[in-house]
Amino acid sequence: MHTFLLTIMIISAVIVIALVLIQRSQGDGLSEAITGGAEQLFSKQKARGIEVGIKRLTIFFSIVFFACAFLIGYYFK
């Protein structure tokens, strides 16, 4: 069981890393925070198509990763 959970955890970690690298940037980072980013506030841009799927897959595999980490820590102290 420990080996199975560890394998699933490693696979999900690699997939999460790949999905995060594939995703498009959502803003300009620190410069967006300093300037206020008002243009983003009033423009209602929704993610469409493949962007939504990649975001949902990232969330799913992140949950799988943390669930495996929790189960390994809880059952195999």
Side-chain angles (χ1 to χ4, degrees):
M1 183 72 170
H2 182 267
T3 307
F4 174 72
L5 286 174
L6 193 59
T7 304
I8 296 298
M9 186 174 172
I10 291 171
I11 291 171
S12 65
V14 170
I15 292 173
V16 166
I17 291 169
L19 288 172
V20 167
L21 290 174
I22 290 172
Q23 286 181 7
R24 214 178 252 193
S25 177
Q26 296 294 325
D28 292 333
L30 186 58
S31 65
E32 183 79 18
I34 292 171
T35 60
E39 62 273 357
Q40 285 268 339
L41 179 64
F42 297 112
S43 65
K44 302 229 175 194
Q45 296 179 359
K46 287 188 172 182
R48 298 180 188 262
I50 193 77
E51 295 173 4
V52 174
I54 291 174
K55 185 175 181 179
R56 288 180 183 164
L57 281 174
T58 305
I59 293 169
F60 172 76
F61 282 108
S62 299
I63 291 170
V64 169
F65 175 82
F66 284 108
C68 287
F70 176 76
L71 290 173
I72 287 172
Y74 184 75
Y75 287 120
F76 303 105
K77 295 179 191 180

